[in-house]
């Protein structure tokens, strides 16, 4: 039931765009996105609740397609500071009301000058 | 600022030792979690707690136990450490239930079992 992220790794030049996908085989209640820089703790980016919403701040946005049970994270005009490993965390429909997340395996993003 | 602290950043233990990893949060959060992080496998949930003295198994609880005697403190226990438990361990807390938002992570404990 671990969600599957794709791609596993991506290398970009500054200013290029990237899309990271997160797919689940179970019906989703919410999708959370986190970024972890090397040697640091994961940091929350955003949460998307079921209903097919899209969110964003600055040049990082995300969408949630409830029917496809899939979320995508969009990074536009990437900056060096975007480098890190991105994780999606999923809450399933019908799961206990604990905020428990099941995380994907991660996507490593490297932005080069 | 929300703060989640873990007792050690680095720990080296011998096979068969009993190991305690401590996590403390200062924001009165209800729910706390223990994950282990391994390359290519992401963050896998070991145990979580939704109230004092209440706990629930995650996806990989074998070889671990937990204790939550006070709201702010959640301990992970390796009863008899083995080399396959060498990993990064992350603790997290969240204010409430489903869809309630951000999990706050501690800095992690890198445990090596020799």
């Amino acid at each position: 039931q671990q969600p599957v992220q794709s791609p596993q790794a991506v290398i970009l030049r500054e200013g290029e765009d990237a899309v990271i996908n997160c797919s689940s085989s179970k019906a989703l209640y919410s999708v959370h996105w986190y970024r972890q820089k090397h040697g640091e703790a994961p940091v929350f980016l955003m949460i998307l609740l079921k209903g097919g919403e899209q969110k964003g701040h600055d040049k990082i946005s995300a969408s949630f397609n409830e029917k496809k049970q899939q979320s995508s994270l969009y990074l536009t005009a990437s900056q060096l500071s975007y480098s890190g490993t991105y994780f999606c965390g999923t809450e399933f429909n019908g799961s206990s009301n604990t905020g428990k997340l099941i995380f994907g395996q991660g996507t490593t993003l490297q932005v080069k000058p | 600022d929300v703060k989640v602290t873990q007792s050690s950043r680095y720990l080296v233990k011998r096979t068969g030792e009993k190991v305690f990893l401590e996590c403390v949060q200062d924001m009165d959060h209800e729910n706390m979690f223990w994950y282990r992080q391994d390359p290519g496998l992401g963050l896998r949930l070991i145990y979580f707690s939704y109230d004092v003295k209440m706990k629930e198994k995650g996806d990989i609880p074998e070889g671990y136990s937990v204790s939550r005697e006070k709201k702010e403190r959640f301990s992970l226990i390796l009863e008899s450490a083995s080399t396959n438990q060498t990993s990064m361990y992350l603790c997290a807390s969240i204010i409430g239930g489903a869809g309630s938002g951000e999990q706050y992570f501690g800095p992690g404990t890198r445990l090596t079992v020799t």
Side-chain angles (χ1 to χ4, degrees), chain B residues 8-48:
Chain B
S8 306
R9 289 300 303 270
Y10 300 93
L11 210 52
V12 180
K13 295 291 181 181
R14 293 199 180 274
T15 302
E17 279 193 85
K18 191 168 186 176
V19 182
F20 293 87
L21 303 182
E22 301 257 300
C23 174
V24 177
Q25 50 93 4
D26 65 359
M27 284 301 291
D28 203 34
H29 284 176
E30 299 291 331
N31 302 346
M32 297 184 74
F33 307 84
W34 274 106
Y35 298 92
R36 67 177 280 176
Q37 182 175 17
D38 301 288
L41 297 178
L43 299 162
R44 293 182 292 165
L45 183 64
I46 305 171
Y47 265 99
F48 66 102

Coordinates of all heavy atoms in Angstrom, one line a residue, chain B residues 8-48:
Chain B
S8 N 19.5 11.6 20.7 CA 20.8 11.5 20.1 C 20.8 11.7 18.6 O 19.8 11.3 18.0 CB 21.5 10.1 20.4 OG 21.4 9.8 21.8
R9 N 21.8 12.3 18.0 CA 21.9 12.4 16.6 C 22.6 11.1 16.0 O 22.2 10.7 14.9 CB 22.7 13.6 16.2 CG 22.0 14.9 16.4 CD 20.7 15.1 15.6 NE 20.9 14.9 14.2 CZ 21.1 15.9 13.3 NH1 21.2 17.1 13.7 NH2 21.2 15.6 12.0
Y10 N 23.6 10.6 16.8 CA 24.3 9.4 16.3 C 24.4 8.5 17.5 O 24.6 8.9 18.6 CB 25.7 9.8 15.8 CG 25.7 10.7 14.6 CD1 25.8 12.1 14.8 CD2 25.6 10.2 13.3 CE1 25.8 12.9 13.8 CE2 25.6 11.1 12.3 CZ 25.7 12.4 12.5 OH 25.7 13.3 11.4
L11 N 24.2 7.2 17.2 CA 24.3 6.2 18.3 C 24.9 4.9 17.7 O 24.6 4.5 16.6 CB 22.9 5.9 18.7 CG 22.6 5.4 20.1 CD1 23.2 6.4 21.2 CD2 21.1 5.3 20.3
V12 N 25.9 4.3 18.4 CA 26.5 3.0 18.0 C 26.2 2.0 19.1 O 26.6 2.3 20.3 CB 28.0 3.2 17.7 CG1 28.6 1.8 17.3 CG2 28.2 4.2 16.7
K13 N 25.6 0.9 18.8 CA 25.3 -0.1 19.8 C 25.8 -1.5 19.2 O 26.0 -1.7 18.0 CB 23.8 -0.2 20.0 CG 23.2 1.1 20.7 CD 23.7 1.2 22.1 CE 23.2 2.5 22.8 NZ 23.7 2.6 24.2
R14 N 25.9 -2.4 20.2 CA 26.3 -3.8 19.8 C 25.1 -4.7 19.6 O 24.0 -4.4 20.3 CB 27.2 -4.3 20.9 CG 28.5 -3.6 20.9 CD 29.6 -4.5 21.7 NE 30.9 -3.8 21.7 CZ 31.8 -3.9 20.8 NH1 31.5 -4.5 19.7 NH2 32.9 -3.2 20.9
T15 N 25.2 -5.6 18.8 CA 24.1 -6.6 18.6 C 23.7 -7.2 20.0 O 24.6 -7.6 20.8 CB 24.6 -7.8 17.7 OG1 25.1 -7.2 16.5 CG2 23.5 -8.8 17.5
G16 N 22.4 -7.3 20.2 CA 21.9 -7.8 21.4 C 21.6 -6.8 22.5 O 20.9 -7.1 23.5
E17 N 22.1 -5.6 22.4 CA 21.8 -4.6 23.4 C 20.4 -4.1 23.3 O 19.8 -4.1 22.2 CB 22.8 -3.4 23.1 CG 24.2 -3.5 23.7 CD 24.9 -2.2 23.7 OE1 24.8 -1.5 24.7 OE2 25.7 -1.9 22.8
K18 N 19.9 -3.6 24.4 CA 18.6 -2.9 24.4 C 18.9 -1.5 24.2 O 19.7 -0.8 24.8 CB 17.9 -3.2 25.8 CG 16.5 -2.7 25.8 CD 15.8 -3.3 27.1 CE 14.3 -3.0 27.1 NZ 13.6 -3.5 28.2
V19 N 18.1 -0.9 23.2 CA 18.4 0.5 22.8 C 17.1 1.3 23.0 O 16.0 0.9 22.7 CB 18.8 0.5 21.3 CG1 19.0 2.0 20.9 CG2 20.0 -0.4 21.1
F20 N 17.3 2.5 23.6 CA 16.2 3.4 23.8 C 16.4 4.7 22.9 O 17.4 5.3 23.1 CB 16.1 3.8 25.3 CG 15.7 2.7 26.2 CD1 16.6 1.9 26.7 CD2 14.3 2.5 26.5 CE1 16.3 0.8 27.6 CE2 14.0 1.5 27.4 CZ 14.9 0.7 27.9
L21 N 15.4 5.0 22.1 CA 15.5 6.3 21.4 C 14.3 7.1 21.9 O 13.2 6.7 22.0 CB 15.3 6.0 19.9 CG 16.3 5.1 19.2 CD1 16.0 5.0 17.7 CD2 17.7 5.6 19.5
E22 N 14.7 8.3 22.3 CA 13.7 9.2 22.9 C 13.3 10.4 22.0 O 14.1 10.9 21.3 CB 14.2 9.8 24.2 CG 14.6 8.7 25.3 CD 13.6 8.6 26.4 OE1 13.4 9.6 27.1 OE2 13.1 7.5 26.5
C23 N 12.0 10.7 22.1 CA 11.5 11.9 21.3 C 10.7 12.7 22.2 O 9.8 12.2 22.9 CB 10.7 11.3 20.1 SG 9.9 12.6 19.1
V24 N 10.9 14.0 22.1 CA 10.1 15.0 22.9 C 9.6 16.1 22.0 O 10.3 16.6 21.3 CB 10.9 15.6 24.1 CG1 10.1 16.6 24.9 CG2 11.4 14.4 25.0
Q25 N 8.3 16.4 22.2 CA 7.7 17.5 21.4 C 7.1 18.5 22.4 O 6.6 18.1 23.5 CB 6.7 17.1 20.4 CG 5.6 16.2 20.9 CD 4.4 16.8 21.4 OE1 4.2 18.1 21.3 NE2 3.4 16.0 21.9
D26 N 7.2 19.8 22.1 CA 6.8 20.8 23.0 C 5.5 21.6 22.6 O 5.3 22.7 23.1 CB 8.0 21.8 23.2 CG 8.3 22.6 22.0 OD1 7.7 22.4 20.9 OD2 9.2 23.4 22.0
M27 N 4.7 21.0 21.7 CA 3.6 21.7 21.3 C 2.2 21.1 21.7 O 1.2 21.3 21.0 CB 3.6 21.9 19.7 CG 4.6 22.9 19.3 SD 4.2 24.6 20.0 CE 2.7 24.9 19.0
D28 N 2.3 20.2 22.6 CA 1.0 19.6 23.1 C 0.3 18.8 22.0 O -0.9 18.7 22.0 CB 0.1 20.7 23.7 CG -0.9 20.1 24.7 OD1 -0.5 19.1 25.4 OD2 -2.1 20.6 24.7
H29 N 1.1 18.2 21.1 CA 0.5 17.4 20.0 C -0.1 16.1 20.5 O 0.5 15.5 21.4 CB 1.5 17.2 18.9 CG 1.8 18.4 18.1 ND1 2.8 18.4 17.1 CD2 1.2 19.6 18.0 CE1 2.8 19.6 16.5 NE2 1.8 20.3 17.1
E30 N -1.2 15.7 19.9 CA -1.8 14.5 20.3 C -1.1 13.2 19.9 O -0.9 12.3 20.6 CB -3.3 14.4 19.8 CG -4.2 15.5 20.3 CD -4.5 15.4 21.8 OE1 -4.5 14.3 22.3 OE2 -4.7 16.4 22.4
N31 N -0.7 13.3 18.6 CA -0.2 12.1 17.9 C 1.3 12.2 17.6 O 1.8 13.2 17.2 CB -1.0 11.9 16.6 CG -2.5 11.8 16.8 OD1 -2.9 11.6 17.9 ND2 -3.2 11.9 15.7
M32 N 1.9 11.0 17.9 CA 3.4 11.0 17.6 C 3.7 9.7 16.9 O 3.0 8.7 17.0 CB 4.1 11.1 18.9 CG 3.9 12.4 19.7 SD 4.9 12.5 21.2 CE 6.5 12.8 20.5
F33 N 4.8 9.8 16.1 CA 5.1 8.7 15.2 C 6.6 8.4 15.2 O 7.4 9.3 15.4 CB 4.8 9.1 13.7 CG 3.4 9.6 13.5 CD1 3.0 10.9 13.8 CD2 2.4 8.7 13.1 CE1 1.7 11.3 13.7 CE2 1.1 9.1 12.9 CZ 0.7 10.4 13.2
W34 N 6.9 7.1 15.0 CA 8.3 6.7 14.8 C 8.4 6.1 13.4 O 7.7 5.2 13.0 CB 8.8 5.7 15.8 CG 9.3 6.3 17.0 CD1 8.7 6.4 18.3 CD2 10.6 7.0 17.2 NE1 9.5 7.0 19.2 CE2 10.7 7.4 18.6 CE3 11.7 7.3 16.3 CZ2 11.8 8.1 19.1 CZ3 12.7 7.9 16.8 CH2 12.8 8.3 18.2
Y35 N 9.4 6.6 12.6 CA 9.7 6.1 11.3 C 11.2 5.6 11.2 O 12.0 6.1 12.0 CB 9.6 7.2 10.2 CG 8.2 7.8 10.1 CD1 7.8 8.9 10.8 CD2 7.3 7.2 9.2 CE1 6.6 9.5 10.6 CE2 6.0 7.8 9.0 CZ 5.7 8.9 9.7 OH 4.4 9.5 9.6
R36 N 11.4 4.7 10.3 CA 12.8 4.5 9.9 C 13.0 4.8 8.5 O 12.1 4.6 7.7 CB 13.3 3.1 10.3 CG 12.7 1.9 9.5 CD 13.4 0.6 9.9 NE 14.7 0.4 9.2 CZ 15.5 -0.6 9.4 NH1 15.2 -1.6 10.3 NH2 16.6 -0.7 8.7
Q37 N 14.1 5.4 8.1 CA 14.4 5.8 6.8 C 15.6 5.1 6.2 O 16.7 5.1 6.8 CB 14.6 7.3 6.7 CG 14.9 7.9 5.3 CD 15.0 9.4 5.3 OE1 15.2 10.0 6.3 NE2 14.8 9.9 4.1
D38 N 15.4 4.4 5.1 CA 16.5 3.6 4.5 C 16.5 4.1 3.0 O 15.4 4.3 2.4 CB 16.3 2.1 4.6 CG 16.2 1.7 6.1 OD1 17.3 1.7 6.7 OD2 15.1 1.4 6.6
P39 N 17.7 4.1 2.4 CA 17.8 4.5 1.0 C 16.9 3.7 0.1 O 16.9 2.5 0.1 CB 19.3 4.3 0.7 CG 20.0 4.4 2.0 CD 19.0 3.8 3.0
G40 N 16.2 4.4 -0.8 CA 15.3 3.7 -1.7 C 14.0 3.2 -1.2 O 13.1 2.7 -1.9
L41 N 13.8 3.3 0.1 CA 12.6 2.7 0.8 C 11.7 3.8 1.4 O 10.6 3.6 1.8 CB 12.9 1.7 1.8 CG 13.7 0.5 1.4 CD1 14.0 -0.5 2.6 CD2 12.8 -0.3 0.3
G42 N 12.3 5.0 1.4 CA 11.5 6.1 1.9 C 11.4 6.1 3.5 O 12.2 5.5 4.1
L43 N 10.3 6.6 4.0 CA 10.0 6.6 5.4 C 9.0 5.6 5.7 O 7.9 5.6 5.1 CB 9.4 8.0 5.8 CG 10.3 9.2 5.6 CD1 9.5 10.5 5.6 CD2 11.4 9.3 6.6
R44 N 9.3 4.6 6.5 CA 8.4 3.6 6.9 C 8.0 3.7 8.3 O 8.8 3.8 9.2 CB 9.0 2.2 6.6 CG 9.3 1.9 5.1 CD 9.9 0.6 4.9 NE 11.2 0.5 5.4 CZ 11.9 -0.7 5.6 NH1 11.3 -1.8 5.3 NH2 13.1 -0.6 6.0
L45 N 6.7 3.6 8.6 CA 6.1 3.8 9.9 C 6.3 2.5 10.7 O 6.0 1.4 10.4 CB 4.7 4.1 9.8 CG 3.9 4.4 11.1 CD1 4.5 5.7 11.7 CD2 2.4 4.6 10.8
I46 N 6.9 2.7 11.9 CA 7.2 1.6 12.8 C 6.0 1.5 13.8 O 5.4 0.5 14.0 CB 8.5 1.8 13.6 CG1 9.7 2.0 12.7 CG2 8.8 0.6 14.5 CD1 11.0 2.5 13.4
Y47 N 5.7 2.6 14.6 CA 4.7 2.6 15.5 C 4.2 4.1 15.6 O 4.9 5.0 15.3 CB 5.2 2.3 16.9 CG 5.0 0.8 17.4 CD1 6.1 0.0 17.3 CD2 3.8 0.4 17.9 CE1 5.9 -1.4 17.7 CE2 3.7 -0.9 18.3 CZ 4.7 -1.8 18.2 OH 4.6 -3.1 18.6
F48 N 2.9 4.2 16.0 CA 2.5 5.6 16.4 C 1.6 5.5 17.6 O 1.1 4.5 18.0 CB 1.8 6.2 15.2 CG 0.5 5.6 14.8 CD1 -0.7 6.2 15.1 CD2 0.5 4.5 13.9 CE1 -1.9 5.6 14.7 CE2 -0.7 3.9 13.5 CZ -1.9 4.5 13.9

